[in-house]
Amino acid sequence: MKILRKLNTKLNRDIFYNSLGSFMYCFFQYMLTIVILRMKGAEDAGIYGLSYSYTNVFVVISTFGVGNYQLSDVTGRHNDGTYIAARLCTSLVALLCFTGALFFFTDFSLKTRVCCAALMLYRILEGIAGVYICVIQKRGEYKTICLSYCLKGVLTFSIFCVMLYFLELNWAATGMSAAFLLVAMLIDFPRATKNTFFTAKAEKRDIINVLKPSFVLVIQGVMGNIIMFLPRYMIEKTYSIEELGFFSSITLIIFIFPFLVGPAISVFIPGMSGLYSGKQFYIIKRMTFRMGLCVILGTILLCLSSLVWGPFVLSLVFGEKMLAYSYLLIPTLLASGFMLGCGVLGSVLISMQKRTECFISTIVAVLTILLSCQTMVRMFYMNGAIYSLILAHAANGIVTLGFILYHLRNNVNITDNVKV
């Protein structure tokens, strides 16, 4: 019993350090758009929002979903050098894809292109440092990870703000990359390599084996980020980069709720996988229904309560000018609820090991937004972009729910199901 208590205490402590570091880093990243809006205005906020969503598409290629695979490799199937070499290869491919795709977006201004390049450098550094973080995590050094993420969040944010005040946006984004690299060189790289079990030599023939399992997930991730990029691109193309700045700022709320609830959802995945293996399909249905009901009720409550707190919070965080765009708040909260609902349903499919079905659901969402976004933006102004997002996530959710019910019903028909 004492051993179990010690294990539980260590596990809780590790979760705390890991969550704290991730929260601090993400918090300061989300704050950047608000700082840009308040310090430089809506035009620069629009450029940053468009550039960030554009580079997100290629970040998926850079990371290639190898992080989780690396952490799960407890038997040492591939050595550390191979994982690092794989990340360098995917980073190079992402950079080439990023550069090639940029030629198709001829309506991007020079300032937007330079900002995209600066942010792409930052995201590449994030990906490379992430491999070393995984090495540290496999050794259970969560205090080091927490310190690294906290310093990255605080230092990059501080350097960005100082350089943005004295210089232009593109210089601030470049300075942010320099600050991130400094922390990585002081903490991540030396701490990961300072261990007798670290193997720097890469097995070149083994790199493809590292990348192969994540190929479908990468394509799915790219399409998911296209869903978030396209509405911003359509607003900038149809109206102006300044309008996009206000849109990008207020729609940050879309990501906040899935980000806060995401760690809690991930806790259910191992347990639900066990239930699926144990053929306890009734319990899976009940859990899915309850989680979905919580998302629906929470979304309704947030939308109704925003009529009270919405104007005050918008003016406090974004400034008085944002009040003219307060009509975007309720649709944004609805879109956030739909996104969170898709995350809940997607986690159920993942726990059932139905990756192909997840992929199909994402394709449906991408096709929906491709077909609807431009028309809706022209018909409903900036609200149209959010309506298009809601439609895309609704289509994704319906298809995902259909797959879940099909597999559970199909399994119920061929197995004995005990209701607990």
Side-chain angles (χ1 to χ4, degrees):
M1 290 299 293
K2 288 183 178 180
I3 296 174
L4 287 175
R5 280 197 295 269
K6 286 182 179 179
L7 287 173
N8 286 332
T9 302
K10 185 181 183 303
L11 180 62
N12 291 333
R13 188 166 58 243
D14 291 344
I15 292 173
F16 169 76
Y17 283 127
N18 196 40
S19 300
L20 176 62
S22 299
F23 174 79
M24 288 291 290
Y25 182 71
C26 293
F27 172 77
F28 284 108
Q29 289 293 302
Y30 283 130
M31 286 295 294
L32 290 177
T33 301
I34 299 173
V35 169
I36 296 169
L37 179 67
R38 299 298 294 261
M39 196 177 293
K40 290 293 185 179
E43 182 177 343
D44 276 16
I47 291 173
Y48 182 84
L50 183 64
S51 302
Y52 197 87
S53 60
Y54 176 76
T55 54
N56 268 345
V57 176
F58 306 98
V59 167
V60 180
I61 300 174
S62 174
T63 57
F64 219 83
V66 172
N68 290 333
Y69 184 73
Q70 182 182 359
L71 289 174
S72 64
D73 185 12
V74 293
T75 59
R77 185 184 304 172
H78 315 287
N79 60 39
D80 298 323
T82 303
Y83 283 111
I84 294 170
R87 181 59 54 88
L88 292 174
C89 291
T90 54
S91 296
L92 179 60
V93 172
L95 195 58
L96 292 173
C97 293
F98 163 83
T99 306
L102 204 57
F103 285 105
F104 290 96
F105 293 95
T106 54
D107 49 349
F108 278 11
S109 66
L110 178 61
K111 190 173 182 179
T112 302
R113 290 172 180 273
V114 174
C115 188
C116 284
L119 286 178
M120 191 64 196
L121 172 63
Y122 180 78
R123 308 308 295 278
I124 291 291
L125 290 174
E126 270 188 324
I128 294 173
V131 183
Y132 291 87
I133 288 290
C134 286
V135 174
I136 299 171
Q137 187 172 348
K138 286 177 72 174
R139 295 205 299 262
E141 299 179 17
Y142 285 93
K143 283 186 180 179
T144 304
I145 296 172
C146 181
L147 177 63
S148 174
Y149 276 127
C150 288
L151 284 177
K152 285 170 186 172
V154 173
L155 189 59
T156 54
F157 179 78
S158 302
I159 294 296
F160 184 92
C161 292
V162 171
M163 295 190 72
L164 186 66
Y165 182 79
F166 290 103
L167 300 170
E168 294 296 322
L169 174 64
N170 296 331
W171 286 108
T174 305
M176 186 169 64
S177 299
F180 184 94
L181 181 60
L182 176 63
V183 177
M185 291 179 67
L186 291 176
I187 298 179
D188 301 345
F189 301 155
R191 193 63 186 172
T193 55
K194 190 179 179 181
N195 190 284
T196 54
F197 298 102
F198 180 80
T199 51
K201 185 179 179 181
E203 299 291 338
K204 295 180 181 178
R205 294 181 179 179
D206 201 27
I207 292 176
I208 188 65
N209 295 324
V210 171
L211 302 178
K212 195 184 298 182
S214 303
F215 184 74
V216 174
L217 293 178
V218 170
I219 298 176
Q220 183 180 348
V222 169
M223 292 191 299
N225 283 325
I226 288 174
I227 293 173
M228 303 309 300
F229 165 71
L230 195 61
R232 286 168 169 74
Y233 176 65
M234 285 299 174
I235 288 176
E236 191 271 342
K237 185 178 180 181
T238 308
Y239 300 108
S240 69
I241 195 70
E242 185 176 359
E243 296 287 83
L244 176 60
F246 289 110
F247 177 85
S248 296
S249 299
I250 198 169
T251 51
L252 280 175
I253 299 170
I254 288 179
F255 305 101
I256 291 176
F257 299 116
F259 167 70
L260 292 175
V261 182
I265 294 175
S266 64
V267 173
F268 288 96
I269 293 178
M272 202 168 289
S273 294
L275 291 172
Y276 188 73
S277 299
K279 301 176 182 178
Q280 301 294 323
F281 307 124
Y282 172 76
I283 300 178
I284 295 176
K285 286 183 179 180
R286 188 175 61 188
M287 289 177 65
T288 304
F289 173 77
R290 288 178 178 177
M291 288 190 292
L293 185 62
C294 288
V295 171
I296 292 171
L297 293 177
T299 302
I300 293 173
L301 181 63
L302 280 170
C303 290
L304 293 177
S305 64
S306 68
L307 297 173
V308 178
W309 55 261
F312 171 74
V313 171
L314 290 179
S315 60
L316 179 66
V317 176
F318 301 105
E320 294 294 330
K321 289 185 178 180
M322 187 58 76
L323 291 177
Y325 299 89
S326 59
Y327 61 87
L328 291 169
L329 182 58
I330 291 181
T332 298
L333 292 172
L334 281 173
S336 182
F338 273 90
M339 181 184 292
L340 183 57
C342 286
V344 169
L345 294 175
S347 68
V348 176
L349 267 187
I350 290 172
S351 67
M352 295 163 63
Q353 296 295 313
K354 305 298 180 182
R355 299 183 186 276
T356 303
E357 285 81 347
C358 285
F359 182 64
I360 294 171
S361 299
T362 306
I363 292 177
V364 171
V366 172
L367 290 176
T368 302
I369 206 163
L370 283 172
L371 294 173
S372 65
C373 189
Q374 187 172 8
T375 302
M376 286 202 161
V377 167
R378 288 177 177 172
M379 288 177 61
F380 301 105
Y381 191 42
M382 287 195 288
N383 265 341
I386 303 178
Y387 295 157
S388 183
L389 275 174
I390 292 173
L391 272 180
H393 288 301
N396 187 337
I398 291 170
V399 173
T400 304
L401 181 61
F403 280 128
I404 291 171
L405 294 176
Y406 170 77
H407 285 294
L408 291 179
R409 185 187 65 179
N410 189 49
N411 279 308
V412 168
N413 289 336
I414 63 175
T415 60
D416 294 326
N417 182 32
V418 179
K419 296 185 179 183
V420 179

